[in-house]
Amino acid sequence: MTAKIISGTETAKQITAETCQEVAELKTRHGIIPGLATILVGDDPASHVYVGRKVKMCQDIGIHSERYDMPASTSETDLIALLAKLNNNPQINGILVQMPLPKHIDESKIISAINPDKDVDGFHPTSVGRMVVGNPSFLPCTPRGIQILLERSNIKTDGAEVVVVGRSNIVGKPIANILLQKAQGANATVTICHSATRDIATHTRRADILIAAMGKPNFITADMVKDGVVIIDVGTNEIGKTADGKRILAGDVDFAAVKEKASAITPVPGGVGPMTIIMLMSNTVKATKMAHGLI
């Protein structure tokens, strides 16, 4: 058996086209232009790249974008003041603060200072609470992207044994909560494994769907999965560089070996990664419609 490749790149292209259409309809039918503010504090090179991609995606889709680059010395008080200003700006429907923040700034305090109705990252405590109880909310972008990849690949989650390896607030915990909801594209039996789990392989071998999100290259090996498993590899680990300086990436799954046992698998790169930014755009459009009473 050689696994079907689940292409996040192709799925993201489809959703991008759909989102472009939504934005165009908002403009032509209602005279509304969605707006996203991105805030970057400090000079982290990777964060600059990520924010740049988000701004470009806004431009490509037709979303109004405002980018705020602030020095690493920015105080927590000044950052909260900017968030208050954006919370009250009707042209801004979504607010994203790029993480990580400088150590002197409390990330949880900053996330809580964002208006939950503009929390397009889905990390505000109100958004998390709504997600856990199954109420409508902004779902975190990477977990929502995983759910859509499964749906559009016609992979049944209803009653499936899902094992999530990793318990981060960004991926592991939210995808577990999303997939256990009694809802379409969910309704699974979910197990979470983490660094204190005894004999992880006893759990991963039960999985119909295995979501690897622990940040350890090639951690999941072929002997840890059963035949026919569906693999969603969230890992993006730099394991070296090419002669011309490009990053060499590996997932959390030993792709070459595991794809011979799996029925379907996401590659790294080109799997989950491309879904994250387009989910941010989708959440921004959703926030815009909510603000104008269109949903």
Side-chain angles (χ1 to χ4, degrees), residues 199-228:
D199 194 3
I200 287 178
T202 61
H203 300 282
T204 58
R205 290 190 193 106
R206 293 201 323 270
D208 301 311
I209 301 169
L210 176 62
I211 301 172
M214 78 291 294
K216 294 184 178 180
N218 301 314
F219 180 87
I220 302 295
T221 54
D223 65 323
M224 295 175 68
V225 302
K226 69 179 183 180
D227 290 338

Side-chain angles (χ1 to χ4, degrees), residues 26-77:
L26 281 171
K27 292 178 181 178
T28 56
R29 293 186 182 182
H30 305 283
I32 297 168
I33 300 175
L36 175 66
T38 55
I39 301 172
L40 175 61
V41 184
D43 300 313
D44 180 69
S47 293
H48 274 275
V49 171
Y50 298 147
V51 169
R53 289 175 182 168
K54 292 163 186 174
V55 170
K56 185 179 185 305
M57 179 68 81
C58 284
Q59 294 168 347
D60 291 344
I61 290 177
I63 292 174
H64 168 66
S65 173
E66 294 186 10
R67 174 171 174 169
Y68 297 84
D69 285 11
M70 308 176 77
S73 58
T74 297
S75 70
E76 187 173 274
T77 300

Side-chain angles (χ1 to χ4, degrees), residues 254-295:
D254 182 354
F255 181 86
V258 173
K259 72 181 177 65
E260 301 303 322
K261 293 182 73 174
S263 60
I265 189 169
T266 58
V268 176
V272 174
M275 297 294 294
T276 300
I277 294 180
I278 190 56
M279 290 298 99
L280 175 66
M281 301 298 124
S282 179
N283 276 350
T284 301
V285 173
K286 178 180 178 180
T288 305
K289 291 181 176 179
M290 288 170 54
H292 290 274
L294 299 176
I295 54 174

Side-chain angles (χ1 to χ4, degrees), residues 74-266:
T74 297
S75 70
E76 187 173 274
T77 300
D78 286 346
L79 181 52
I80 290 174
L82 173 58
L83 290 172
K85 178 181 175 182
L86 295 171
N87 284 340
N88 292 317
N89 184 345
Q91 290 185 310
I92 297 299
N93 307 108
I95 301 171
L96 179 144
V97 180
Q98 184 66 44
M99 302 296 175
L101 291 169
K103 292 182 179 179
H104 67 278
I105 297 177
D106 184 339
E107 290 187 357
S108 62
K109 188 180 292 185
I110 297 306
I111 291 170
S112 294
I114 298 170
N115 180 345
D117 292 335
K118 298 187 178 187
D119 173 39
V120 289
D121 244 351
F123 294 149
H124 191 283
T126 297
S127 301
V128 174
R130 289 171 177 165
M131 174 187 67
V132 170
V133 300
N135 288 343
S137 67
F138 297 114
L139 298 178
C141 298
T142 299
R144 176 58 177 152
I146 292 169
Q147 185 181 37
I148 289 182
L149 278 179
L150 292 170
E151 288 177 346
R152 297 205 177 196
S153 300
N154 296 314
I155 294 166
K156 181 182 177 183
T157 56
D158 187 80
E161 287 274 356
V162 175
V163 175
V164 179
V165 186
R167 57 178 168 182
S168 74
N169 291 332
I170 297 173
V171 180
K173 290 178 185 175
I175 190 58
N177 276 285
I178 289 168
L179 291 181
L180 63 79
Q181 297 297 327
K182 191 174 183 180
Q184 183 177 346
N187 209 29
T189 300
V190 182
T191 301
I192 302 179
C193 297
H194 47 77
S195 57
T197 301
R198 298 189 184 97
D199 194 3
I200 287 178
T202 61
H203 300 282
T204 58
R205 290 190 193 106
R206 293 201 323 270
D208 301 311
I209 301 169
L210 176 62
I211 301 172
M214 78 291 294
K216 294 184 178 180
N218 301 314
F219 180 87
I220 302 295
T221 54
D223 65 323
M224 295 175 68
V225 302
K226 69 179 183 180
D227 290 338
V229 66
V230 173
I231 299 286
I232 304 294
D233 190 350
V234 188
T236 306
N237 308 288
E238 183 176 330
I239 58 172
K241 291 188 176 179
T242 62
D244 58 357
K246 293 182 179 178
R247 300 165 71 208
I248 300 172
L249 300 177
D252 290 347
V253 176
D254 182 354
F255 181 86
V258 173
K259 72 181 177 65
E260 301 303 322
K261 293 182 73 174
S263 60
I265 189 169
T266 58

